[in-house]
């Protein structure tokens, strides 16, 4: 790299090129730099505040992120990601964790106040319970019938989904239990 730089410097000095815009390698590098910057910018989603959780849907056609009290979901099935391809739901408390069910029909959201909400794909609330602890992680089982929740305390909660779609809290599990 140093040798190439010295060689290019000799070319500049030999041809007495004083304006870099006339330098033969500047224009291609500038065009490449501009192109790469524009590609980067067109595929960027800007957050308004700190993102506390982020996830792809299991089908990888959506990306969701928690930003304070808001959950935002962007649809990747469209070519351009824009505000038009975004769903947003704002809550009363800060979101600490969320999880898509494996079929992406449900989203479980855990909050810093200990609340857990189950939302459908259109972000409509279908179930809610208070666990009285800051939720640190939440995850659906592969079949979508169980929901595992951990908090800042030393326990793990397991919810089971009934045939009518409601989640009920099973007995608290030991943190050391192999689930």
């Amino acid at each position: 790299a140093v040798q190439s730089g010295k060689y290019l410097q000799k070319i500049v000095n030999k041809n007495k090129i004083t304006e870099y815009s006339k330098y033969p390698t500047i224009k291609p590098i500038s065009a490449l730099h501009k192109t790469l910057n524009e590609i980067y910018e067109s595929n960027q989603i800007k957050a308004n505040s700190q993102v506390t959780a982020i996830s792809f849907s299991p089908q990888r056609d959506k990306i969701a992120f928690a930003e304070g009290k808001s959950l935002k979901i962007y649809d990747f099935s469209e070519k351009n990601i824009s505000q038009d391809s975004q769903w947003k739901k704002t809550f009363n408390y800060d979101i600490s964790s969320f999880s898509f069910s494996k079929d992406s029909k449900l989203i479980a959201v855990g909050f810093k106040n200990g609340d857990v909400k189950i939302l459908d794909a259109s972000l409509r609330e279908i179930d809610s319970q208070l666990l009285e602890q800051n939720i640190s992680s939440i995850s659906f089982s592969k079949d979508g019938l169980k929901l595992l929740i951990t908090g800042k305390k030393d326990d793990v909660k397991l919810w089971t989904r009934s045939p009518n779609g409601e989640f009920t809290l099973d007995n608290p599990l030991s943190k050391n239990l192999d689930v």
Side-chain angles (χ1 to χ4, degrees):
V2 173
Q3 189 177 17
S4 296
K6 287 181 181 180
Y7 176 72
L8 289 173
Q9 190 173 17
K10 283 181 186 179
I11 292 172
V12 170
N13 292 337
K14 181 181 175 186
N15 295 322
K16 297 181 181 170
I17 299 173
T18 56
E19 293 180 39
Y20 284 107
S21 63
K22 294 179 181 175
Y23 187 59
T25 60
I26 292 297
K27 287 186 180 180
I29 291 172
S30 177
L32 180 61
H33 181 69
K34 183 178 178 184
T35 301
L36 291 174
N37 278 342
E38 288 175 9
I39 289 171
Y40 175 76
E41 289 298 320
S42 68
N43 291 326
Q44 188 176 48
I45 299 171
K46 296 199 180 219
N48 295 324
S49 62
Q50 182 180 3
V51 174
T52 55
I54 191 164
S55 180
F56 279 102
S57 65
Q59 287 76 22
R60 305 250 183 242
D61 61 339
K62 294 176 181 66
I63 186 171
F65 64 91
E67 183 180 36
K69 297 175 182 176
S70 296
L71 180 66
K72 295 179 180 179
I73 299 177
Y74 288 87
D75 189 350
F76 278 116
S77 61
E78 300 175 19
K79 287 190 176 189
N80 293 324
I81 300 170
S82 68
Q83 296 300 325
D84 298 334
S85 60
Q86 170 191 344
W87 295 285
K88 179 180 176 182
K89 173 104 176 163
T90 302
F91 301 94
N92 293 330
Y93 299 99
D94 286 340
I95 299 168
S96 55
S97 181
F98 69 89
S99 177
F100 284 97
S101 62
K102 299 303 175 195
D103 61 5
S104 296
K105 291 183 179 178
L106 298 176
I107 303 170
V109 184
F111 298 88
K112 291 185 178 179
N113 74 326
D115 200 10
V116 174
K117 295 188 182 294
I118 309 296
L119 311 174
D120 65 12
S122 63
L123 300 181
R124 191 182 72 228
E125 186 177 321
I126 59 173
D127 200 355
S128 179
Q129 294 196 23
L130 184 64
L131 296 183
E132 300 175 1
Q133 63 176 317
N134 184 341
I135 307 300
S136 60
S137 183
I138 193 164
S139 182
F140 277 99
S141 62
K142 286 184 180 181
D143 62 8
L145 298 177
K146 297 200 181 292
L147 187 62
L148 201 57
I149 303 163
T150 61
K152 298 296 181 191
K153 296 181 182 176
D154 288 340
D155 59 353
V156 176
K157 306 274 186 187
L158 179 67
W159 284 6
T160 302
R161 189 173 186 195
S162 66
N164 66 356
E166 292 181 6
F167 282 86
T168 56
L169 182 63
D170 291 345
N171 292 329
L173 303 172
S174 164
K175 196 171 191 177
N176 298 324
L177 182 65
D178 185 21
V179 180

